[in-house]
Every structure is written in C-alpha cells, then in structure tokens.
C-alpha cells in the first residue's frame, strides 16, 4: 500500500530496542563474565591439584574428587529422574477438559502460559532439584568411603550383638539413604500434586470428586512409598537406640539404651514398624480400590500409635517403673555404658591405686631420714622450673636477634641428651620463625620474596636457670650453635608462617645477618608449585587475588610458590579424614627440623559410649590465651578416639609423612583402605624420630575429662555420683579455665626410674582439696607408653589441692611480704606451672616465680615456691627451697663410724668465712629488691652469693679429702 503518512521514508527503528553495537557489547560483556566465573572456578580447582601433586598426595585429591563427582551425579540423577518422571506421569494422567468451573478457568490461563515451554520448564525443575540433591550427596563422601571400605571391630554391642562397625560405618550410610528417600518422596509428592492440580486431576473448589481415579492412584503410591520409608526408619531406630544421646542424671552426655529404651521404646519401634508396613500396603492397594478410605484410616492409626506407643507408653514406664527404683533398674545399662565408654576412649586399662597423700616420715625424722627424703625428691622428678608457657618473651628478648624473627606464645617441652653424660633431659625448645610484623618495610616484594623463612632452633634446660634467672641455653645464637648436631636451620614451614612466599627465582632471599652483614640465599628445596607456566601464574593470580603474580618481573625461571605452610594445615589437607591435635612441636631429627603432629581417628557411632565435644574437653587456660593451640574440629561430637597417626612435616621442604601408630584401630584401617599408600607402616619410624614422639595433650585432656566420672567401674557408685571429680581451674591465673596438663620426667610410686610423663590433678566436684593425681607414660619407645596411672587419695582425710596450695603460698606472711617486694615499682610477678610430684606417700608441689621488673620486658626466674607436708619454702633456687622444706640446709652426710672423728665442717674457718660472705651477699640482694627494686645491684649480689657458696663448697671438699688422707 502507498505511504499515506507524507513523511520521509527509510529504515524503521523499533522504539526501545538497543542498537546492534550495544547488543554486541552486551553480549561480549556477558561472555566475558561467564568466562571469568568459569576461570575463577577452574583456578581454584587447578591450584588445588597442583598443590596436592607438589606434596605427592595427588591420590588423596583424586579419590575425594571422584567420590564427590560420583555421588553428585548418581544421587543428582536419581532425584532429577524421580521428580521428572512423576511430573511427566501426572501430566500424562491429566483428565480430558470438560465443563469449566471458575477454578479451572483461573488455572487455564496458567496452562496456556506454560504450554509452549513445558519441556523446558520440566528440564529446569528437574535440573534444579538434581543439582541441590547432588551437592548434598557430594558432602557425604566420608560416609560413603567409610561404608564401602569399613573393616570389622571384632567387638559386638551388648544389646543387638552386632559388630561395632555396623554402627560406626553402616548405620550412617543407611540413614543418609533414608533421608535421601524421604526428600525424594516429599519432592515427588509435591511436584505430582501441583501438576495434578494444574491440569484438573485435583480440585479444591470445583463441584464433584476432589480427585480423579488416576490422580488418587498416583498420589497414593507416593504416599505409600513415604510410609514404607517410615517403616524402614522405625526399624533403623531400633539400632539407633544404641548410639542415641539423652540426658541422664549420671551424666549429661549419656549414650546407649536405658531401662525405658530396652523395655518400652524398643518394642514400641517394632510395633510401629509393623503398623507402618500395613499402612504402606493399604496405600498401594488404592491402585485397585481407587479410594483413600482405608489408607487414611491406617495412616491415622499409625499417627495415633506413634503418640500412644512411641510417646505415652515409655513415659508411663519411666514414671511408674523406673523412678521408684531407678538405681536397680538402670544399673545393668549403666554397667554397659561404663564398659563401652572406657573401651572407646582407651581408658579401660587405667590403673587406679590408693595413695595415702601423707608422707610416712614424721616431723621428728633424723638427719639421715631427712637427707634420704631430700635425695628421694631429686630422684622422684626432674622438676622443670622453666615454664614453656612463660619464658617465650625471654627467648624472644635474648635470642630473637632480628625483629623479623619470632617465637610462638607457648614453647614446647621435649627430651634431648646432654653433651656431658648422654642422658636425656627435659628441654624447652622453640624455633626462630619468620615474623612479618617485624620486617623493616612491608611491601609485596619484602613480604613474599625477600623475607621468606625463619632460622634456627633455640633450646634451654628445663630444670635450670642461671644466676640471673635466665634460661640456660643449650642451643643459641644466629646461626644457632650449641649441643645439637648439625642440622638444616632454615625454617620455611612453621606455626607462625601463614602467608605465601615465592622462592627459587631471580629474587634473592634474606637468609640471616651477622657481624659481616646480611646474608642471602635462594631456596633449593623441591616443595611448592612451579610458576614457570603462564597458566599456573594466572591461576594463582586469581586464586590469591594478587594480579602482580601474573606480570611481576621478580618471578622467573625456577620460581616456586609455597603456601599452606603451617604443620596443622598441611597434615589436615593431605589427610582430611583425621582430627589434628592442637599442639604441633618441633624436633631435630637426623639433621632436619621436623614438626611432629599428632592426629586422631574418631567416630560418633560407638554403641553405649558417651559422647564428648572436642572443643570443650580440650579447652584450658592455655588454649584460652592462644587460639593456635585449639584442637581442630572443635565442635565435633565423638564417642570414640584413637591417636592412630603420627605425622611429620619437614620445616625446610614441607614434606609430609604419615605413620601408622595404632596398628589395631579399625577406623584407621578403613581409611587406609580408602586412601591406599598414604600412611606408612609403624616400622618406618626411625629410632631418632621415635625418641621425640610423646603422648598427645589433647587426647590426654579428653581422657582426663572422661575419667572424672568413668574412673569408677561400679554402676551403683556411678549412679550415686559420690565419686565424681573435676579438673581444677588453673590456680596461677584468674582466667577461670582448666589447669593444663604438664610434661615432665617423673617417677610414679610403682616405677623404678623416671619416665617422660604427662600429668594432671583432680579435685572433688565442687571442692578444692585433692582427690586424685593422674599421669600417663609418654615415652614412645617404652613398653609402658600410654599407661595411665591414677593415685586416688582417701576421702576420709583432706589433702590440699592446687588452689589451696596457691592460696597457702600467697597467705604465708613471709612469702606475701617477699612477693610484695618483688612487685615493687613497675615490676610484675608471674607464676609458672604448679607442678605436682608424688613423693614418699605425700605430694610435693613446686612453682617457679618470675618477675618482669625495671626496664626488663621479659620474665626472669627469681624465686621457687615449694611445699610438702605443710612445710613451705620460698627461695632463690629449687635446691635451696627443697633443702629448706626437708630441713637439710648445711647438712653433710655422716660418714660411717670408723673410730676416727672428722672435724665438723663448721670448725673450718675458710668455710665459715665463705658462708658469712654468702649471708652478706644474700642480705645485699634482699636489700636491692626492697630498694626499687635495683636489678643491677641484685644481679651483683647474686653473683657474689654464687661465688661465696662455691668457695664454701670447695673448702668443704678440700677438708673432706684431708680427712680421708689422715684416715689412710
């Protein structure tokens, strides 16, 4: 038709539609955004793969990856197919359209709207539910691997007589399958009902039948499937009673069957299972009967039975059978819980011994008896007066050397042989790790290329301090030197090393500084990921959100990126099925610094064993002050734990090795089947490494918490609660947290020699006196390793507990006055670990006292508090304090009666003069403490005192030799 508008002709432009250039730009931006998101996802995957390959644990990555992928696709596809088929079937069973009601006219608009997109809508819905279900199933990779690789415990539960592996490995997987089935049934039911409603199979307001016969049959089958799953749930619930947690007055974390469970819930679950099966059959029968009357009646009966049989009946049994005679009814089940809990936590072999708590020696003991008791005190323990949780600032001040080095807040205790006699001694040890906060100028090059590692071990004797109260270092200076054999001192992996470094390329690293200036180095190890590849650089630039990695000239041939550098991170990454102890510690082994990491296998499915929350039971005054010591997986509730793996991380190469430690642990055997080749046999542990392995703190803390209740083996005593203990709060500070356990070499009453041990104390519930002392042998190479000994004190008498001992220290008039003097000026007093040592039927308490005073910003040992049998001493050294407590000051050993009289030492004028000088120096030191305190004068007095005592000792020894010559 001719144009009648009279206007110009030309190409028409649709109003509101963007131009071709704009559309091209938008499309390009969309494609780039999709590619960017895809590459970001790829970067995370690719960098993970590169890291696992670099540590030679790629099999862990691939096993977990393929397991997740398999579960994702299998269960995602199952869910998608189930929902999709039911939507398709509901659409297929739609009734023919008839006279339209108002309800159907309203729905007709929706039917017409989605008609062109039905296929795409079906695909979208099924894909969405499939993705959600697949993602949920992928998170169950641990459950699947434990089920498919599970090995038997060869122990049966006392109720159903099934192997424990059924509860630990099988039941969790069956419960997941059941939960998946319930989710599929509900989603299918909802999707089918909505489709039937949309297409007229279900009617809400329309006249006539509310559902067509086809819709009735379809939905009844789905409801029958749901009820059948409920029947399976009832059956599994029977076994679930063996691992069910409940509140019980005997314990807050009771697990297992009680009287009401065995005699009410268990038969109730069986009855409900039978009712549910019948009800499911009634729903399936609607395919032929086409009526919901019987299934609805059956379903109502099932619900009513669940209320009456599953709820009301057990409550009646509890009220009228159990409560009137609870102890008699519950005792057999408590006995099962006691046995299972002690086995599951490895405390079933705990040796409990009655201990007097009072020494047999009388106050009127002879000099020889006192001397013997004093000698016994030396033999009872190598008392550690260097507290690793106090002296870190002292290490920092005296051995930091450079601001870019640092020590952890809590140092570690290990054993090293002395250069003189080759005997093991308790040693406080720490590494001089990298501290980026102390770098002179922080920038990207300095933080990631120049300052990359720490340097050297610093170690000190645990049982000694010098005359100034400083640690007696056995490894010191930079580079470190001392009694340790030659070792690789560079520390690229450590507890404080939490950022990435790029090493080995054109940029030199700062090694250390000495009098000749700054030394540089280039990393020669093989760890880390190679950045030569542009793809790798791009992936790490995206993964670390650091674009400079992509184009920086500081990265070149040989550059490698190091990350995941803390020992706990590395072990947890290569063994994600382990729970990691909160305290990794370093050891020098065969010329290398090795971080030793204790790792646990755990389970939440040990029948009848009470549960514990790891984060709660491993918390103490140290974890409260230092988050790095917190146990991994804090909120994990477990009722089975084993220290099944000892792991090492090389501080230079980052190499991770896992060693099988508990060779009988079925949980470890299961994971070793799932990840073959990742854990080396116990025989691969070298003697040099074995010498530094120890009993782990977190396991000990879990066990001591359980032993507050489970030290008893009699159900009646357990139920009365009369023997409940508690872990006392740390008396040396006001944190209100539990006292930490302490490592020291000590001798228990049934031992002939000292053994490296981990010990703690118990007090009665709600009281402060001592109820028990607990120790575990921590010598990894000994036959007694892991043996728990408990000295149980009598309940008829009271023995002072830690808080009372600390209070006694503080309330002694002379001690209080001396401490007040120590606090003079701007000085601060810090109490070290309060150590408890069994001795001659009594308990010896020792506590070092540190002072930060004057211009000193680090603690020095100034006094030692000792108490035994009510006698207290507060002296400059441990030896002096022990001498005073045992009344052996100035005592000499009486020689055998040979008819020749040796002149008393006091008759020697040289000794008398030396002792007078010593007293004068002591008085001068006390005066220096009162005047200021004046630490320079105090240090001079301490040196004079030491020199005078040495003169007295030399003169006495000379007199003894002279007496011997006369006798000859």
């Amino acid at each position: 038709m001719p144009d009648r508008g009279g206007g110009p002709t030309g190409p028409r432009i649709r109003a509101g539609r963007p131009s071709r250039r704009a559309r091209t730009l938008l499309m390009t931006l969309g494609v780039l955004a999709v590619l960017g998101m895809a590459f970001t996802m790829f970067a995370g995957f690719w960098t993970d793969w590169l890291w696992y390959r670099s540590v030679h644990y790629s099999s862990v990555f691939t096993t977990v990856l393929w397991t997740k992928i398999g579960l994702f696709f299998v269960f995602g596809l199952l869910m998608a197919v189930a929902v999709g088929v039911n939507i398709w079937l509901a659409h297929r069973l739609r009734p023919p359209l008839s006279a339209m009601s108002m309800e159907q006219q309203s729905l007709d608009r929706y039917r017409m709207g989605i008609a062109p997109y039905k296929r795409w809508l079906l695909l979208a819905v099924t894909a969405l539910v499939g993705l959600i279900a697949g993602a949920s199933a992928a998170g169950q990779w641990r459950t699947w691997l434990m089920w498919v690789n599970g090995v038997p415990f060869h122990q049966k539960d006392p109720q159903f007589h099934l192997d424990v592996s059924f509860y630990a490995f099988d039941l969790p997987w069956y419960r997941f399958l059941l939960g998946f089935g319930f989710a599929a049934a509900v989603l299918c039911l909802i999707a089918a009902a909505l489709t039937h409603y949309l297409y007229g199979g279900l009617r809400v307001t329309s006249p006539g039948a509310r559902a067509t016969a086809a819709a009735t049959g379809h939905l009844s089958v789905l409801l029958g499937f749901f009820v059948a799953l409920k029947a399976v749930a009832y059956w599994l619930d029977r076994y679930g009673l063996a691992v069910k947690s409940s509140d019980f007055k005997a314990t807050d974390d009771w697990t297992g069957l009680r009287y009401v469970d065995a005699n009410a819930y268990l038969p109730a679950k069986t009855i409900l299972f039978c009712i549910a099966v019948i009800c499911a059959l009634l729903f399936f029968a609607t395919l032929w009967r086409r009526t919901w009357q019987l299934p609805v009646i059956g379903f109502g009966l099932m619900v009513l039975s669940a209320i009456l049989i599953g709820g009301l009946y057990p409550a009646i049994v509890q009220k009228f059978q159990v409560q009137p005679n609870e102890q008699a009814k519950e005792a057999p089940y408590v006995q099962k819980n006691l046995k299972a809990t002690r086995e599951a936590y490895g405390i079933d072999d705990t040796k409990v011994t009655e201990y007097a708590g009072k020494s047999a020696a009388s106050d009127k003991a002879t000099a020889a008896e006192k001397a013997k008791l004093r000698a016994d005190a030396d033999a009872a323990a190598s008392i550690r007066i260097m507290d690793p949780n106090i002296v870190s600032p002292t290490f920092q001040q005296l051995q930091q050397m450079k601001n870019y080095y640092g020590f952890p807040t809590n140092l570690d205790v290990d054993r090293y042989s002395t250069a003189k006699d080759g005997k093991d001694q308790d040693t406080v040890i720490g590494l001089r790790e990298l501290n980026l906060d102390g770098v002179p100028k922080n920038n990207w090059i300095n933080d990631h290329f120049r300052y990359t590692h720490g340097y050297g071990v610093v170690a000190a004797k645990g049982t000694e301090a010098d005359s100034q109260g400083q640690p007696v270092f056995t490894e010191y200076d930079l580079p470190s030197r001392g009694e340790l054999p030659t070792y690789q001192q560079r520390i690229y992996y450590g507890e404080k090393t939490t950022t990435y470094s790029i090493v080995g390329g054109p940029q030199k690293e700062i090694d250390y500084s000495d009098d000749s200036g700054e030394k540089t180095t280039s990393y020669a190890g093989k760890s880390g990921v190679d950045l030569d590849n542009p793809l790798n650089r791009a992936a790490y630039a995206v993964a670390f959100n650091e674009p400079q990695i992509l184009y920086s000239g500081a990265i070149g041939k040989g550059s490698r990126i190091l990350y995941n550098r803390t020992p706990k991170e590395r072990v947890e990454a290569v063994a994600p099925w382990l729970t990691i102890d909160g305290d990794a510690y370093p050891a020098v082994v065969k010329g290398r610094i090795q971080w030793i990491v204790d790792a646990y296998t755990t389970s939440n499915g040990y029948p009848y064993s009470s549960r514990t929350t790891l984060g709660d039971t491993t918390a103490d005054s140290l974890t409260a002050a230092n988050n790095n010591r917190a146990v991994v997986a804090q909120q994990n509730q477990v009722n089975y734990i084993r220290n099944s793996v000892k792991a090492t991380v090389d501080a230079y190469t980052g190499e991770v090795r896992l060693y099988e430690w508990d060779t009988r642990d079925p949980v470890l055997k299961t994971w070793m089947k799932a990840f073959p080749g990742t854990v080396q046999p116990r025989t691969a542990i070298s003697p040099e490494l074995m010498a530094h392995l120890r009993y782990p703190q977190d396991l000990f803390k879990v066990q001591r918490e359980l032993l507050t209740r489970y030290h008893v083996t009699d159900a009646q005593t357990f139920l009365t609660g009369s023997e409940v203990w508690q872990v006392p709060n740390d008396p040396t500070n006001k944190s209100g947290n539990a006292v930490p356990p302490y490592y020291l070499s000590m001798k228990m009453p049934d031992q002939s020699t000292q053994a490296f041990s981990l010990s703690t104390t118990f007090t009665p519930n709600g009281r402060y006196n001592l109820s028990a002392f607990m120790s575990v042998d921590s010598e990894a190479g000994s036959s007694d390793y892991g043996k728990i000994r408990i000295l149980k004190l009598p309940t008829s008498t009271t023995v002072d507990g830690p808080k009372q001992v600390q209070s006694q220290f503080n309330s002694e008039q002379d001690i209080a006055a001396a401490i007040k003097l120590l606090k003079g000026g701007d000085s601060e007093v810090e109490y070290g670990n309060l150590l408890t040592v069994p001795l001659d039927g009594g308990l010896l308490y020792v506590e070092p006292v540190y002072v930060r005073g004057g211009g000193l910003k680090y603690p020095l040992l100034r006094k030692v508090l000792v108490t035994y049998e009510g006698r207290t001493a507060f002296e400059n050294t441990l030896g002096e304090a022990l001498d005073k407590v045992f009344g052996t000051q100035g005592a000499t050993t009486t020689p055998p009666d040979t008819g020749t009289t040796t002149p008393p030492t006091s008759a020697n004028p040289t000794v008398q003069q030396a002792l007078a000088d010593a007293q004068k120096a002591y008085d001068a030191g006390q005066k220096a403490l009162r005047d200021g305190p004046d630490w320079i004068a105090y240090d001079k007095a301490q040196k004079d005192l030491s020199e005078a005592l040495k003169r007295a000792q030399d003169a006495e020894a000379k007199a003894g030799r002279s007496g011997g010559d006369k006798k000859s």
Side-chain angles (χ1 to χ4, degrees):
M1 296 181 65
D3 181 15
R4 299 181 183 274
T9 60
R12 295 182 179 180
I13 301 176
R14 296 182 181 178
R17 183 175 181 179
S19 65
R20 178 177 297 176
R21 179 179 298 176
R23 293 198 305 272
T24 303
L25 178 61
L26 290 173
M27 186 176 295
T28 302
L29 291 175
V31 171
L32 290 176
V34 171
L35 290 176
M37 288 188 292
F39 188 77
T40 301
M41 295 173 62
F42 168 78
F45 163 81
W46 185 243
T47 53
D48 284 348
W49 161 249
L50 292 174
W51 186 86
Y52 276 95
R53 192 175 64 175
S54 74
V55 295
H56 309 294
Y57 282 89
S58 55
S59 63
V60 174
F61 179 82
T62 54
T63 298
V64 174
L65 177 65
W66 287 116
T67 302
K68 287 182 176 181
I69 290 175
L71 292 172
F72 177 86
F73 279 105
V74 169
F75 286 94
L77 189 62
L78 283 174
M79 184 66 79
V81 168
V83 173
V85 166
N86 278 279
I87 292 175
W88 173 83
L89 186 60
H91 179 265
R92 182 73 178 266
L93 297 175
R94 67 190 184 278
L97 294 179
S98 57
M100 300 290 286
S101 65
M102 293 298 296
E103 180 184 21
Q104 293 303 312
Q105 289 177 12
S106 299
L107 292 174
D108 193 49
R109 295 198 301 270
Y110 295 104
R111 289 193 287 263
M112 293 178 63
I114 66 173
Y117 311 106
K118 283 191 294 186
R119 180 175 298 176
W120 295 108
L121 186 60
L122 176 63
L123 289 175
V125 170
T126 54
L128 179 62
V129 296
L131 286 173
I132 295 173
S136 176
Q140 297 294 321
W141 64 270
R142 289 181 177 86
T143 308
W144 161 259
L145 287 176
M146 292 184 78
W147 178 68
V148 78
N149 295 288
V151 300
F153 277 66
H154 299 296
Q155 289 177 285
K156 297 184 182 298
D157 78 281
Q159 181 66 42
F160 301 101
H161 307 293
L162 296 174
D163 192 272
V164 171
S165 60
F166 170 80
Y167 302 94
F169 306 140
D170 300 343
L171 191 58
W173 178 249
Y174 298 154
R175 281 177 165 167
F176 163 72
L177 292 178
L178 188 63
F180 179 84
F182 275 124
V186 170
L187 288 176
C188 290
L189 189 61
I190 293 173
L194 288 175
T195 307
H196 280 299
Y197 176 70
L198 182 63
Y199 288 97
L202 291 177
R203 305 181 182 93
V204 178
T205 61
S206 301
R210 298 299 182 193
T212 63
T216 299
H218 184 194
L219 296 179
S220 293
V221 169
L222 292 177
L223 285 169
F225 179 70
F226 179 87
V227 175
L229 289 175
K230 188 61 181 174
V232 176
Y234 281 134
W235 189 256
L236 287 181
D237 284 347
R238 299 169 67 255
Y239 303 110
L241 292 172
V243 290
K244 183 194 74 170
S245 290
S246 60
D247 292 332
F248 189 33
K249 72 175 187 178
T251 172
D252 295 334
D253 303 305
W254 174 271
T255 302
L257 286 85
R258 290 157 52 192
Y259 181 89
V260 69
D261 297 311
N263 295 277
Y265 281 111
L266 187 58
K269 296 292 183 183
T270 305
I271 295 171
L272 289 172
F273 163 76
C274 297
I275 294 174
V277 169
I278 295 171
C279 186
L281 293 175
L282 291 175
F283 273 108
F284 293 141
T286 57
L287 283 173
W288 296 276
R289 292 180 58 86
R290 302 295 183 178
T291 176
W292 279 352
Q293 185 176 5
L294 284 179
V296 168
I297 293 173
F299 188 77
L301 176 62
M302 187 180 75
V303 173
L304 183 62
S305 300
I307 296 172
L308 295 178
I309 303 175
L312 185 59
Y313 174 61
I316 293 173
V317 171
Q318 179 68 24
K319 180 71 175 177
F320 295 103
Q321 290 191 32
V322 178
Q323 289 185 5
N325 192 18
E326 187 171 37
Q327 288 204 6
K329 296 290 187 182
E330 300 287 15
Y333 304 95
V334 170
Q335 200 66 49
K336 296 174 184 178
N337 176 270
L338 284 171
K339 183 177 184 295
T341 302
R342 289 168 61 88
E343 290 174 350
Y345 289 94
I347 57 177
D348 49 324
D349 292 329
T350 299
K351 181 181 180 182
V352 180
T353 306
E354 298 293 332
Y355 192 69
K358 299 288 185 182
S359 174
S362 67
D363 293 335
K364 298 180 180 180
T366 65
E369 290 172 337
K370 291 179 180 179
K372 181 181 182 302
L373 194 57
R374 173 67 178 84
D376 288 345
D378 287 335
S382 298
I383 298 173
R384 181 173 41 74
I385 56 176
M386 282 289 110
D387 187 346
N389 309 308
I390 296 289
V391 299
S392 179
T394 308
F395 274 52
Q396 187 85 358
Q397 183 68 28
L398 301 178
Q399 289 294 320
Q400 178 187 23
M401 304 304 182
K402 297 294 180 181
N403 287 338
Y404 48 82
Y405 294 131
F407 293 92
T409 305
N410 304 104
L411 303 177
D412 290 291
V413 178
D414 203 348
R415 297 137 295 158
Y416 286 89
S417 59
T418 60
K420 293 180 180 179
D421 55 16
K423 293 183 179 178
D424 284 349
Q425 68 175 6
D426 293 358
T427 302
V428 177
I429 186 172
L431 300 188
R432 196 182 286 113
E433 294 190 49
L434 178 66
N435 174 30
L436 288 178
D437 292 335
V439 171
K441 184 178 181 180
N442 289 105
N443 55 53
W444 190 63
I445 294 296
N446 275 348
D447 291 351
H448 301 289
F449 291 82
R450 296 277 288 163
Y451 295 91
T452 59
H453 60 279
Y455 209 99
V457 171
V458 177
K461 294 180 180 180
T463 56
E464 295 183 30
D466 67 13
S467 60
Q468 299 180 21
Q470 297 179 357
V472 178
F473 291 107
T474 57
E475 191 75 9
Y476 49 89
D477 287 352
L478 182 68
S480 294
R481 60 189 178 90
E483 297 185 2
L484 294 180
T486 304
Y487 61 96
Q488 171 58 262
Q489 298 198 19
R490 297 176 182 89
I491 302 160
Y492 283 87
Y493 296 87
E495 290 180 303
K496 296 173 69 70
T497 314
T498 55
T499 188
Y500 70 89
S501 290
I502 298 176
V503 298
Q507 181 68 59
K508 291 292 185 181
E509 310 162 43
I510 292 177
D511 205 20
Y512 65 91
S513 300
D514 58 16
D515 295 338
S516 61
E518 195 172 79
K519 308 292 185 182
T520 60
T521 188
S522 186
Y523 183 65
K526 299 300 182 183
S527 65
V529 178
D530 190 356
L531 291 180
D532 281 352
N533 188 329
L535 176 63
N536 292 356
R537 292 177 67 170
Y540 279 102
V542 171
F544 287 3
N545 196 26
E546 183 49 72
Q548 293 186 79
I549 294 177
L550 188 60
Y551 56 78
S552 174
I555 302 175
K557 184 173 179 58
S559 291
R560 310 178 72 83
I561 185 167
L562 313 180
Y563 62 104
N564 286 350
R565 297 169 71 183
T566 70
K568 287 193 289 187
E569 281 180 325
R570 295 181 78 77
V571 175
E572 188 180 23
V574 302
W577 36 273
L578 290 174
T579 299
I580 312 302
D581 188 89
D583 184 28
Y585 60 98
V588 178
V589 181
K590 300 177 73 172
R592 316 287 295 190
I593 299 174
Q594 298 283 355
W595 288 100
I596 300 176
V597 183
D598 285 288
Y600 310 108
T601 48
T602 62
S603 175
N604 194 27
Y606 198 99
Y608 271 103
S609 173
S610 291
R611 290 182 171 85
T612 186
T613 304
L614 294 181
D616 294 337
T617 52
T618 58
D620 57 30
S621 61
L622 295 184
T623 60
N626 182 7
N627 290 331
N628 289 334
R629 290 179 72 109
V631 68
V632 175
Q634 289 190 7
Q635 299 308 312
N636 271 13
Q637 270 213 331
V638 304
N639 66 355
Y640 173 91
I641 186 170
R642 289 290 186 272
N643 175 214
S644 53
V645 171
K646 301 284 188 181
T648 61
V649 177
D650 192 293
Y652 183 74
T653 65
E655 180 185 17
V656 181
R657 291 187 178 182
L658 307 176
Y659 297 99
E660 180 184 17
W661 184 248
D662 190 331
T663 57
R664 296 179 297 176
D665 177 27
V667 181
L668 177 61
K669 293 180 183 296
T670 295
W671 286 120
M672 289 174 68
K673 280 182 65 179
F675 298 95
T678 57
V679 181
Q680 299 183 39
R682 180 168 176 157
T683 54
I685 300 176
S686 67
E688 294 83 0
L689 175 59
M690 183 72 77
H692 294 282
L693 300 182
R694 68 188 192 189
Y695 201 82
Q697 289 190 61
D698 284 337
L699 176 60
F700 184 78
K701 287 188 279 189
V702 170
Q703 290 174 326
R704 76 171 177 179
E705 181 63 32
L706 268 295
L707 283 167
T708 58
R709 293 162 292 158
Y710 287 91
H711 62 277
V712 302
T713 56
D714 175 63
Q716 297 292 342
T717 306
F718 187 84
L719 282 166
T720 62
S722 60
E723 291 290 326
V724 174
W725 300 337
Q726 66 183 14
V727 178
N729 292 338
D730 192 342
T732 64
N733 57 59
K734 299 179 181 179
S735 66
N737 298 105
V739 63
Y742 296 119
Y743 287 107
L744 77 159
S745 294
M746 59 175 293
K747 182 174 67 173
M748 292 289 277
D750 64 333
Q751 293 178 295
S752 58
T753 58
Q754 292 182 16
F756 192 62
S757 305
L758 190 56
S759 62
T760 190
T761 53
F762 295 108
T763 58
N765 195 23
R767 297 172 61 192
Y768 296 128
N769 57 290
L770 200 68
S771 58
F773 176 81
M774 172 182 170
S775 175
V776 63
D777 194 316
S778 298
E779 292 277 2
S782 73
S783 58
D784 277 352
Y785 172 83
K787 184 175 183 178
I788 299 174
R789 297 175 173 89
I790 293 180
L791 302 180
K792 184 176 180 295
L793 278 73
T795 56
S796 57
T797 59
T798 58
V799 178
D800 288 344
K803 190 176 182 66
Q804 292 171 317
V805 170
Q806 188 68 45
S807 178
Q808 180 183 340
F809 283 156
N810 296 335
S811 61
E812 287 264 351
Q813 186 174 355
D814 294 340
I815 295 176
I819 290 177
K820 186 176 181 181
L821 288 174
L822 291 175
K823 291 181 177 179
D826 61 350
S827 300
E828 298 177 6
V829 171
E830 295 184 39
Y831 294 101
N833 37 221
L834 179 59
L835 301 176
T836 308
V837 178
L839 176 64
D840 192 42
L843 292 164
L844 176 70
Y845 286 97
V846 179
E847 182 177 70
V849 178
Y850 298 84
V851 175
R852 297 181 192 235
L856 299 177
K857 301 301 181 185
Y858 57 95
L860 296 175
L861 180 68
R862 292 305 183 190
K863 294 285 185 179
V864 179
L865 282 161
V866 174
T867 185
Y868 183 74
E869 295 295 307
R871 299 185 294 274
T872 303
F874 185 59
E875 302 298 324
N876 295 330
T877 67
L878 175 63
E880 292 174 3
L882 290 173
D883 287 341
K884 183 175 180 180
V885 162
F886 294 109
T888 56
Q889 305 102 313
T892 59
T893 304
T894 303
D897 185 7
T898 60
T900 304
T901 303
T902 302
T905 304
S906 59
N908 190 323
T910 305
V911 174
Q912 285 183 331
Q913 182 60 49
L915 291 176
D917 292 342
Q919 183 63 46
K920 184 178 178 181
Y922 175 78
D923 294 338
Q926 296 303 305
K927 184 176 183 300
L929 289 175
R930 292 192 297 269
D931 299 342
D934 184 346
W935 292 111
I936 297 176
Y938 181 80
D939 288 341
K940 182 179 183 303
Q942 293 299 303
K943 292 178 181 177
D944 292 342
L945 175 61
S946 178
E947 192 248 335
L949 291 173
K950 187 176 186 306
R951 281 193 284 116
Q953 184 180 10
D954 292 343
E956 187 176 349
K958 184 177 180 181
R961 288 195 298 273
S962 298
D965 293 341
K966 290 177 182 179
K967 178 185 173 183
S968 301

